[in-house]
Amino acid sequence: MRPLRTVLIANRGEIALRVIRACRELGLRSIAVYSDADADAPHARAADVAVRIGPAPASESYLRGDHLIEVAVAHGADAIHPGYGFLSEREWFARAVREAGLIWVGPPAEAIAAMGSKTAARTLAIQAGTPVVPGTTTPLRDAAEAEALAAEFGYPVLLKAAAGGGGKGMRVVRGPAEVAGALESARREAQNAFGDDAVYLEKFIEGPRHVEIQVLADAHGTCLALGERECSIQRRHQKMIEEAPSVAVTPELRARMGAAAVAAAQAAGYVNAGTCEFLLDRHGAFYFLEMNTRIQVEHPVTELVTGLDLVQWQLRIAAGERLPFTEAPAPRGWAIECRITSEDPASGFLPSTGRVTRLELPTGPGVRWDGGIDVGSTVGLHYDPMLAKLIVHAPTRDAAIARMRRALDDLVIEGVATSADFHRRLMDDAAYQSGDVDIQWLEARLPTFLAAVPDEATTRVLAVAAALLAERSRSGGAPRRAAGVAGPTATIGAPTVDAADAVADSAWWHAARRDALGGA
Ligand code: MV4
């Protein structure tokens, strides 16, 4: 087998940087690629070599698989790491990389294909003994067949695109009268999104959690489940917060879900890092949904609770190494990830653009920033709005929430609107803190969260207060407290004020002081 010395990273942003760091720690050379929009991007500067691959649109740069392989060969790469998104789950690309004599840092093209069709994945899972949602494994012929099957499984049912994933081409059907219309619109959406109008049917599971299992398999037959991630907090199929472990998973359930994930992965001939997605219902029953045949955005929470570097293991497995362990470590402590996106919660999460004019990053114990931006970075509309991930690790879930809250307070991003403040509100939410959430929870709560955005007048008052506070702090050391103005007031041991008020006051004090001093 060809030795692995140089890796071309066919991606951008935070995941490209993440792979470059893993390469450097393993002593590998890294080759970044960049579009015209990314000529000054951090990932292009961080790699050993950076190669321009085309204009800003992804279809003319990061999605040009043929060209990327040429660049890899021309610059002496031995391997291509696709990151997530872009070409990471394109069977043809994995195959073309292999046929060009390069190492593909990902699963075999055949495993990508097997899991790419949701009906084929269901068939594999069933054969492996992995529980799936009751439903069909072949596409529906027509509305009459759909109606007969829906009657058999019982309403509500869910129509899903066979080529799908990510919620496209999905329709909930609550009674026979809705079947024909839902089938037609699901078909149309599937055709538009995937060029394939095949649709199948499942029993609709109401109010489940989305829990996924990280799998890591080497090319020598060792396949391990590395525990779960709780991904229920999502909006329009975009995850906003992920955690490891999940409050809903006991060691016993973890072992059963892990075994089910490993069985499905092995049935597909899986090698490298992958993730099996499950729905977990209120009664603790779990159902395989699909397998993601790539490294995922939220992999860091698993890294923090297992102590394993998943991206390094992707590279080592691709180079032919064996996994040196046969059992997954039990999760240690609690990890939480917030996806910081350039979306403005106040405007219904519209993508926001601009130039990053100020960036202050949280640090300290148990804080990790996987980012793809710098001061001066331009945030446009060509690519995914995720700017960075803020990830924390602490001994307990409560401590992790407090740490995330602190880290979000310390984070300053100016020049582009972000989701960071929304994440702060989530950390303060009692239902979030209790862990009692499901996949519908965030969308149902959005109006309440968004209503809490301070109005213009309040913002002005706060700005004036911040300026006064800063002036006082600059001129006389410790600020004196005016009557009725609360600074940090929580005490350890015997709280003297309501704990929630203390946190809010403390955050206010901290943010106001920092904001006003920052411009000085
Ligand atoms: C489901 C479901 C309920 N019942 N299947 C959404 C995208 C795709 N990965 C599968 N999805 C779902 N499949 C049955 N039989 C609910 C969802 C679903 C969902 C799943 C995971 C995370 C977020 C979600 C949001 C809405 C619906």
Side-chain angles (χ1 to χ4, degrees):
M1 182 173 197
R2 155 174 214 156
L4 204 168
R5 289 201 198 91
T6 301
V7 181
L8 180 135
I9 298 119
N11 215 302
R12 63 179 303 282
E14 70 87 17
I15 193 61
L17 279 160
R18 171 74 188 85
V19 177
I20 291 166
R21 291 185 183 118
C23 286
R24 194 140 295 151
E25 289 173 23
L26 290 172
L28 303 173
R29 270 177 81 235
S30 54
I31 303 176
V33 295
Y34 63 90
S35 71
D36 288 340
D38 283 338
D40 298 319
H43 81 275
R45 274 180 279 135
D48 294 311
V49 178
V51 182
R52 178 186 176 270
I53 49 165
S59 59
E60 297 173 54
S61 51
Y62 298 104
L63 288 171
R64 283 284 308 278
D66 52 345
H67 184 213
L68 287 163
I69 290 170
E70 282 171 23
V71 169
V73 171
H75 288 80
D78 308 299
I80 294 186
H81 193 306
Y84 51 69
F86 293 130
L87 296 166
S88 60
E89 295 183 278
R90 305 284 171 88
E91 174 201 357
W92 65 265
F93 186 57
R95 207 175 290 271
V97 167
R98 190 168 66 193
E99 281 164 7
L102 298 168
I103 298 169
W104 169 247
V105 187
E110 294 74 15
I112 297 176
M115 291 301 185
S117 157
K118 304 307 147 192
T119 44
R122 278 169 63 76
T123 305
L124 271 179
I126 292 165
Q127 284 165 359
T130 299
V132 300
V133 187
T136 67
T137 50
T138 49
L140 299 164
R141 272 194 305 273
D142 50 33
E145 188 195 29
E147 224 183 295
L149 286 163
E152 183 188 329
F153 292 114
Y155 291 95
V157 294
L158 190 56
L159 303 181
K160 290 187 174 184
K168 283 209 187 91
M170 245 173 49
R171 291 289 181 283
V172 181
V173 184
R174 300 202 173 265
E178 298 172 15
V179 170
L183 181 60
E184 200 184 299
S185 68
R187 275 203 201 291
R188 200 178 326 113
E189 198 171 307
Q191 180 64 42
N192 286 338
F194 312 110
D196 176 354
D197 75 349
V199 166
Y200 69 105
L201 178 150
E202 287 179 8
K203 175 92 188 140
F204 180 59
I205 311 290
E206 306 244 25
R209 289 172 181 267
H210 176 198
V211 176
E212 59 189 28
I213 300 283
Q214 176 69 52
V215 169
L216 195 60
D218 68 20
H220 309 278
T222 298
C223 181
L224 291 175
L226 298 178
E228 79 281 5
R229 292 185 286 261
E230 165 71 65
C231 303
S232 297
I233 300 196
Q234 57 87 37
R235 186 187 150 268
R236 300 196 178 171
H237 303 289
Q238 297 298 315
K239 296 164 186 165
M240 287 200 74
I241 298 179
E242 302 100 342
E243 299 183 22
S246 163
V247 295
V249 176
T250 61
E252 182 270 331
L253 180 57
R254 180 172 304 124
R256 282 194 291 124
M257 292 183 79
V262 165
Q266 285 181 320
Y270 207 84
V271 176
N272 217 284
T275 299
C276 289
E277 287 188 7
F278 293 92
L279 294 177
L280 176 63
D281 76 14
R282 300 177 176 287
H283 314 290
F286 62 89
Y287 308 93
F288 172 86
L289 278 185
E290 53 194 80
M291 184 166 191
N292 300 318
T293 53
R294 60 172 189 271
I295 190 78
Q296 287 190 246
V297 172
E298 59 270 31
H299 74 276
V301 292
T302 300
E303 296 190 316
L304 292 173
V305 298
T306 61
L308 298 170
D309 187 312
L310 291 173
V311 178
Q312 283 193 20
W313 276 113
Q314 284 196 290
L315 292 159
R316 297 169 78 144
I317 286 168
E321 273 192 43
R322 285 172 189 275
L323 288 171
F325 26 79
T326 52
E327 246 183 274
R332 279 191 43 159
W334 214 278
I336 303 176
E337 171 176 287
C338 289
R339 296 189 185 193
I340 311 297
T341 64
S342 53
E343 292 170 313
D344 185 5
S347 66
F349 291 91
L350 281 181
S352 116
T353 59
R355 178 183 283 272
V356 178
T357 52
R358 188 167 161 216
L359 183 65
E360 284 179 35
L361 300 183
T363 58
V367 176
R368 169 171 166 181
W369 174 262
D370 279 21
I373 53 164
D374 248 330
V375 172
S377 291
T378 304
V379 178
L381 295 172
H382 287 293
Y383 313 113
D384 188 277
M386 198 183 74
L387 304 177
K389 301 161 338 195
L390 177 56
I391 314 121
V392 300
H393 187 215
T396 64
R397 185 166 185 270
D398 285 349
I401 292 171
R403 183 159 278 170
M404 180 62 86
R405 183 63 162 85
R406 189 270 294 175
L408 285 164
D409 284 347
D410 286 352
L411 172 65
V412 183
I413 304 176
E414 286 177 8
V416 56
T418 76
S419 58
D421 188 57
F422 187 77
H423 281 110
R424 278 179 20 156
R425 282 167 213 234
L426 278 169
M427 290 300 124
D428 288 343
D429 183 79
Y432 171 70
Q433 290 171 0
S434 79
D436 184 19
V437 299
D438 62 33
I439 60 175
Q440 284 143 21
W441 178 81
L442 180 59
E443 284 175 35
R445 297 281 300 233
L446 266 184
T448 319
F449 275 116
L450 295 177
V453 173
D455 57 30
E456 178 76 21
T458 311
T459 306
R460 282 173 192 280
V461 170
L462 290 173
V464 172
L468 289 171
L469 181 58
E471 187 50 42
R472 191 180 273 181
S473 192
R474 248 196 305 271
S475 56
R480 280 176 297 124
R481 270 190 213 157
V485 177
T489 45
T491 55
I492 292 171
T496 54
V497 292
D498 176 74
D501 281 349
V503 170
D505 291 349
S506 157
W508 180 87
W509 183 269
H510 178 72
R513 184 162 186 281
R514 187 200 48 207
D515 281 1
L517 288 173

